[in-house]
Amino acid sequence: MKAKLSDVSLTVDQGGLVAVVGPRRGGKSTLIKLLGQVIDPTAGEIFIPSYLRVLHVGATPVMLEGSAWTNLTIGSRNYWSDPEFEADRVMRICERMGFNTRFMRMLRDTRADFLAGTEPWCDGGWVKALSIGDKMLVHLARALVYNPEVLVLNRPTSQLPVGGDELVFELLREFVSNRGVQLPARAAPRRRSRTAFVSFARPSGLKFADVVWVVQDGTVVERGKEDVDHFHV
């Protein structure tokens, strides 16, 4: 069976937004899974320092058992030194992502119980009221709240309405430039650099990228943003 990708040799400095583009079935998803450590290369290696946290975010939203707060903060709360600040940060990220009024009211109404550890058992009924776009927002917000050093996203805006993608791209730009979303800018130099690899569903996101990797004919090459307009992304 022929490898989907071969003879690939690229490096990227920590602290940039890398757009992954190319024709359909060209290997973009394979590259994203390799970068996100979902699959291992059959030959060669992908080197990411072991002290960096890597998070892969797939194109299909994943909803977990429990409350909205549990879904948004899973994996993150172990790192919290100031729960009140972090809860505020979760709320601000959700507001900026464009969650609807009902969802934001639910977060406000259940915040105190979440912080106190007294949230009642949740049967997940709140999930049934969400559209596929809403679920994708939860999926993406969870990643931004977690704030890994390396964030790998496969078509993160494919389930969002036109217009919603711009909000996500702006937050990803902040994730890289501020080394985290909704975190104090003055403390950014003390935080590790953040890098995002993003397989774009729409070409409008390319203007936010620092580097563009084009996946085509089984290989990957770096191109300028002005040279990729004709590719399906």
Side-chain angles (χ1 to χ4, degrees), residues 44-192:
E45 65 176 3
I46 295 177
F47 176 73
I48 299 175
S50 59
Y51 57 83
L52 299 180
R53 294 170 301 153
V54 179
L55 179 64
H56 173 271
V57 180
T60 302
V62 176
M63 305 303 294
L64 309 174
E65 291 185 359
S67 69
W69 279 102
T70 297
N71 268 264
L72 290 165
T73 63
I74 188 75
S76 302
R77 204 174 180 192
N78 292 339
Y79 300 95
W80 287 8
S81 58
D82 185 345
E84 287 288 347
F85 169 81
E86 295 293 350
D88 282 342
R89 178 171 171 263
V90 172
M91 295 285 293
R92 290 194 295 268
I93 288 173
C94 289
E95 287 170 354
R96 291 181 60 188
M97 293 192 76
F99 281 91
N100 61 46
T101 303
R102 179 188 298 176
F103 186 88
M104 295 306 303
R105 185 186 304 117
M106 177 179 61
L107 287 184
R108 285 192 295 270
D109 290 346
T110 56
R111 170 183 166 150
D113 285 340
F114 167 71
L115 289 174
T118 58
E119 274 190 301
W121 179 80
C122 179
D123 63 359
W126 63 277
V127 176
K128 298 176 183 178
L130 300 182
S131 67
I132 187 64
D134 293 332
K135 292 177 181 177
M136 196 66 197
L137 288 179
V138 173
H139 190 57
L140 296 173
R142 181 191 303 134
L144 296 176
V145 170
Y146 181 60
N147 196 29
E149 284 82 9
V150 181
L151 183 56
V152 185
L153 303 106
N154 187 16
R155 299 173 64 84
T157 63
S158 61
Q159 309 275 18
L160 301 181
V162 176
D165 53 350
E166 287 284 317
L167 297 175
V168 172
F169 296 148
E170 289 172 4
L171 288 168
L172 288 175
R173 185 67 259 171
E174 181 178 329
F175 168 80
V176 170
S177 61
N178 190 53
R179 301 183 178 185
V181 176
Q182 286 296 152
L183 290 172
R186 65 182 180 277
R190 298 196 297 272
R191 296 191 289 270
R192 284 178 176 158

Side-chain angles (χ1 to χ4, degrees), residues 13 24 26 29 32-33 43 66 83 97 124 145 166 185 187-188 196 198 210 217 223 229:
D13 292 333
R24 292 181 182 275
S29 293
I32 288 292
K33 288 177 181 178
M97 293 192 76
V145 170
E166 287 284 317
V198 187
D210 298 305
D217 299 329
R223 294 279 182 87
D229 290 343

